[in-house]
Amino acid sequence: MNYPVWQLDFAGGGLLIALIATLHVYISHFAIGGGLFLVLTEHKGLRENSPSILGYVYKHTRLFVLLTMVLGALTGVGIWFTISVLNPAATSKLIHLFVFAWATEWVFFLVEIISLFIYYKTFNRISNRTHLTIGWIYFAAAFLSLFVINGIVGFMLTPGEWLITGNFWHGFFHPTFWPSLFFRFFLAIMLAGLFGFLTASWSKDDALRTTLVRYCAKWLLAPFVLFLTSAWWYKSALPPDMHELIFKNMPDIQPVIKIFIVCSPLIILGGLGMAIKMPANINRGLAAVMLVLGLFYLGSFEFIRESGRRPYIIHNFMYSNTILKTEIDAVKDAGILHTAKWVDTREIKDENMSKTGRQVFDLLCLSCHSVGGPFNNITSLTQGMKPKGMTFIYESMGNKRAYMPPFIATAKEAEALTHFIFSDLER
């Protein structure tokens, strides 16, 4: 309410953030597991006195640098830009509450950048011990970056005692901090194996390719049981009401949960398939499929986690439409148009029903609903309904439809919103 609304009709409902965030989180997890993969694979090459393995590590590092430091950095900036214009109120809250945590994370990120470039540029130029030390510094900085980000991002899902105390440490070490950290770390190791498949499958040396592909399969398969255990721990740590909402009462999440469940055995089967000696072209094709499968796997998890906060953007504190839980009664009494700062028409008249209805839609609905887009398309959801049916929808929000914020518009504002949905939107 305190910031202007960026009207993204088609891309509303979280489409833009879903596209950018999924790609960035995929790459950033690879940046953590991949760092460990680099140093341990270099250790393997030195231990076995294998120039071919060390040559593979060098080539893999080149891809690693390009993906994590170019595409990863660009999508990271993209996330900041997107969340700051889509939900500036929540972004502002995170910055003010965790300002020192952000500063700490950026220091770790700077160490990552410097150490990775030094690691890449000093292959065969410095002693093996020093080179490995630089690799370990990169991995330590990457893991600590995950440690900090995990505290901030997970806070939005389960703020825990912070809701009562307002204490920084209560918010940072929230109820899902540890299971989420282990879950993401094991996932990062598995992603290192997936990317390893891709680079290993391009080796022209059949014996080396077979050795490396089987080595990468261990990275994918070995942590899988620990990954599933941490996923169960993560699920168990969710508050009971949130658990009920995610796994039973949100119909649009259920297909995504099925995708996550189906991807689990496919990941295992794919890893086992890669471990079998196959021609190079089949190895490459399967490696590419596995990489896409990993993106769907991580994307489905992030979608479930993001959707699990509903109807909030910060659980039990700020609703997805940026209205604070403590402000609900006051806004309901005064009306949303008289409370919001960035509206140009506050009085509803017969001649401006469309305009004021659009404003009410932007303020209360646009954060979750698109207009003609793939996510929560308001025109599809209201297809076949009568305007009178919206009254039932409004009354059920926040109770029967617990995944939606309470409807806090006045009767006149509700009338304008209904007019806008049924008279101004193309069907």
Side-chain angles (χ1 to χ4, degrees), residues 84-112:
S84 64
V85 293
L86 288 183
N87 205 319
T91 305
S92 173
K93 188 64 188 177
L94 287 184
I95 290 174
H96 284 88
L97 179 59
F98 293 111
V99 60
F100 290 110
W102 287 116
T104 304
E105 194 274 334
W106 288 335
V107 170
F108 289 139
F109 184 54
L110 183 62
V111 174
E112 284 182 61

Side-chain angles (χ1 to χ4, degrees), residues 29-39 60 64 138 188-189 191-192 219:
H29 279 66
F30 169 53
I32 298 157
L36 185 62
F37 180 87
L38 286 178
V39 286
H60 186 78
F64 188 80
Y138 168 81
I189 294 175
L191 294 185
W219 280 78

Side-chain angles (χ1 to χ4, degrees), residues 34 191 234 303 380:
L191 294 185
Y234 199 166
F303 185 90
S380 298

Side-chain angles (χ1 to χ4, degrees), residues 9 23 42 65 73 241 246 258 269 272 320 359 375 390:
D9 287 351
L23 183 58
E42 186 180 356
V65 170
D241 59 331
I246 293 175
K258 289 178 181 174
L269 291 174
L272 292 172
S320 52
Q359 289 183 158
F375 282 1
M390 292 302 294

